[in-house]
Amino acid sequence: MLLCHLSLDLTHFPKQLTFVTEDLVRRRAEHNNCEIFSLEEISLHQQEIEKLEYLDKWCRDLKILYLQNNLIPKIGCEELKKLDLTANFIGELSSIEALKYNIHLKELFLVGNPCTEFEGYREFVVATLHQLKFLDSKEIERSERIQALQNYPEVKQKIREQEQVYLLKRTREKEETQRRMQEKKDKKQKQVESELECNSPDSLQDKEKHQEEGDGKQETWRTAEDDEEDRRFWEEPTPYTPESRLETHRYIEQKRRAKDDIRESKKREKPLRTLITAEGKVLNVNVPKLYFSLKDDEENNQIILDLAVYRHLDSSLLDVDVQPTYIRVLVKGKPFQLVLPEEVKPDSSSAKRSQTTGHLVVSMPKAKEVILDKQKVST
């Protein structure tokens, strides 16, 4: 069983804490057929994780946990054999004491954390975790452990002092981040006020005039503005802190959402395709651009449509609507519509998928009854 106690004080963050969710764990457990109860190894690197909870309830057999490049500042896990916390923000090295009673832990990775810069870092870890065999990929020799244990009281005191210095530094970084964010907020507020002033009747007329000159120029201007904003953001020097990492994450997420909004607005702006004219004329339409064949099955007195939909397309993405004079099929929302050569019976029609080709086959009995030969029965 895995017990996790990765505590974290990030109350100064404007962003909500990022937790490990069961859905995330299942998605990262593809190698185990998304089964998490029997999961023994999982990688949760680069997920902007700040707090780890409930993993012990979902993954009772977990032995190897990769948490590289997240936002975790303190250690605290039990019943693991291998723990990788590369490139996080662990500055309280004394928090590894929570792993003392984890008798199964053999490998620990702390590369890229602030604590690795402390004087006596390796000695402290080696002397604290007696069960550890490898630290940062380097094997712990017996002589190294003996030496570390002899110097433990002195090294421990040094570590405590350096932790206090680090915590003071983090306090200053938090204050600086808050100051920068407030400046950006004030700047944005001024821009909004400036735009409101520009929305006078005269300025609105000027805007309309410029818009009439062509939407292409407006799109070019927007793109140039976006590029300039990106350039300023990425070129601005910032310290490597959890706050800066989160700010970068938020900026990327904001840009992604803005692009999605633009795409959605363009979709909404597209005029609906005309399927039936105002005069009631039904049009032939093939938006999904699929091959098809329309067969007049005289022997069974029916019309058969064979629509070459994709073999692996889920049938739930197909919507068939048979009318007396035409048939309409929505393929992933895209309409295929065909005028029929003669009237059919919608209630008696049937739609099936071919087991060999995956094509959609729609059988539509004709409305007009026809008696064939004496040997053939009326349909």
Side-chain angles (χ1 to χ4, degrees):
M1 181 178 66
L2 162 70
L3 298 177
C4 300
H5 310 284
L6 282 87
S7 58
L8 173 58
D9 178 18
L10 293 175
T11 54
H12 59 282
F13 278 19
K15 174 180 176 290
Q16 188 177 1
L17 295 181
T18 304
F19 298 94
V20 175
T21 63
E22 185 176 353
D23 179 63
L24 171 62
V25 176
R26 288 191 184 279
R27 282 189 281 110
R28 303 294 292 184
E30 294 178 352
H31 60 285
N32 201 47
N33 296 322
C34 297
E35 292 290 336
I36 62 176
F37 188 80
S38 61
L39 194 66
E40 295 187 358
E41 177 179 338
I42 190 170
S43 176
L44 297 173
H45 65 283
Q46 292 183 327
Q47 298 294 320
E48 304 298 333
I49 295 171
E50 304 160 58
K51 195 169 184 179
L52 196 62
E53 288 183 335
Y54 308 118
L55 203 55
D56 59 316
K57 296 180 178 64
W58 303 327
C59 313
R60 296 183 179 276
D61 296 330
L62 195 62
K63 295 180 176 64
I64 300 174
L65 177 59
Y66 296 96
L67 290 166
Q68 310 99 304
N69 286 286
N70 283 290
L71 301 168
I72 299 168
K74 293 182 182 179
I75 302 176
C77 295
E78 300 172 7
E79 299 303 326
L80 280 176
K81 290 184 177 180
K82 181 178 180 180
L83 178 58
D84 192 334
L85 287 162
T86 300
N88 277 276
F89 292 91
I90 298 169
E92 296 182 54
L93 185 57
S94 57
S95 63
I96 68 165
E97 293 176 351
L99 301 173
K100 288 171 65 174
Y101 304 104
N102 178 4
I103 60 175
H104 303 290
L105 187 64
K106 303 302 177 187
E107 296 182 71
L108 178 63
F109 296 84
L110 294 173
V111 177
N113 284 274
C115 64
T116 59
E117 299 177 4
F118 293 174
E119 182 183 351
Y121 150 72
R122 186 175 175 88
E123 287 180 274
F124 179 78
V125 176
V126 170
T128 302
L129 304 178
H130 301 172
Q131 75 279 30
L132 213 59
K133 299 297 182 185
F134 292 88
L135 176 60
D136 299 331
S137 299
K138 184 179 179 182
E139 186 177 1
I140 301 172
E141 301 288 345
R142 184 171 179 271
S143 57
E144 182 184 7
R145 176 161 282 120
I146 293 173
Q147 184 66 37
L149 289 169
Q150 290 176 348
N151 300 330
Y152 186 65
E154 180 183 349
V155 172
K156 185 176 181 179
Q157 181 61 32
K158 286 183 179 180
I159 293 297
R160 297 287 189 187
E161 293 172 356
Q162 292 173 89
E163 281 181 344
Q164 293 301 316
V165 174
Y166 173 77
L167 291 174
L168 290 173
K169 176 186 174 185
R170 288 290 299 122
T171 301
R172 291 193 296 269
E173 288 175 348
K174 294 173 188 177
E175 293 173 351
E176 177 62 21
T177 300
Q178 289 179 338
R179 184 188 63 79
R180 287 194 300 107
M181 293 185 70
Q182 186 61 44
E183 288 180 354
K184 289 182 179 180
K185 186 178 179 181
D186 295 341
K187 185 177 180 181
K188 190 172 184 180
Q189 181 63 30
K190 290 181 179 179
Q191 289 177 345
V192 171
E193 293 173 357
S194 177
E195 289 176 1
L196 290 174
E197 291 177 0
C198 292
N199 287 337
S200 61
D202 294 337
S203 61
L204 289 173
Q205 289 179 2
D206 292 338
K207 287 181 181 179
E208 291 176 359
K209 183 179 178 181
H210 288 303
Q211 287 176 356
E212 290 174 358
E213 293 176 358
D215 293 334
K217 292 182 179 179
Q218 186 178 11
E219 289 296 329
T220 305
W221 173 79
R222 285 177 181 173
T223 304
E225 184 186 58
D226 290 341
D227 291 343
E228 178 62 23
E229 184 182 1
D230 284 343
R231 186 190 65 78
R232 288 198 305 267
F233 180 83
W234 293 113
E235 290 183 359
E236 181 183 2
T238 55
Y240 183 68
T241 63
E243 293 83 6
S244 63
R245 277 267 296 271
L246 281 175
E247 188 177 358
T248 301
H249 178 74
R250 281 194 299 270
Y251 182 81
I252 295 173
E253 185 67 14
Q254 179 185 355
K255 287 291 183 180
R256 184 190 65 79
R257 289 179 180 174
K259 289 181 179 179
D260 290 343
D261 291 342
I262 292 173
R263 291 195 197 99
E264 288 299 322
S265 63
K266 286 183 177 179
K267 287 180 182 178
R268 289 192 294 267
E269 289 171 1
K270 287 183 178 179
L272 295 175
R273 183 176 292 273
T274 302
L275 300 177
I276 301 176
T277 65
E279 295 77 21
K281 181 181 179 182
V282 180
L283 303 178
N284 290 327
V285 177
N286 188 359
V287 176
K289 298 180 180 179
L290 299 173
Y291 291 104
F292 68 94
S293 65
L294 193 66
K295 177 183 175 183
D296 188 350
D297 184 4
E298 295 182 352
E299 183 178 349
N300 296 303
N301 195 38
Q302 62 181 354
I303 297 174
I304 299 176
L305 170 67
D306 187 322
L307 186 61
V309 298
Y310 318 113
R311 180 190 295 270
H312 302 292
L313 182 68
D314 195 297
S315 296
S316 63
L317 299 175
L318 298 173
D319 185 14
V320 182
D321 180 18
V322 179
Q323 296 295 328
T325 58
Y326 68 92
I327 179 173
R328 180 185 301 161
V329 181
L330 295 181
V331 183
K332 295 176 66 175
K334 298 179 179 180
F336 169 90
Q337 184 169 279
L338 191 64
V339 178
L340 301 174
E342 60 179 285
E343 191 173 337
V344 299
K345 298 178 180 179
D347 296 339
S348 305
S349 300
S350 62
K352 297 180 180 179
R353 294 289 294 276
S354 171
Q355 295 183 352
T356 55
T357 63
H359 289 191
L360 176 68
V361 180
V362 185
S363 302
M364 298 167 283
K366 297 178 182 179
K368 185 178 180 181
E369 298 285 348
V370 176
I371 299 176
L372 302 176
D373 312 276
K374 292 181 180 179
Q375 294 84 5
K376 294 183 181 178
V377 182
S378 173
T379 308

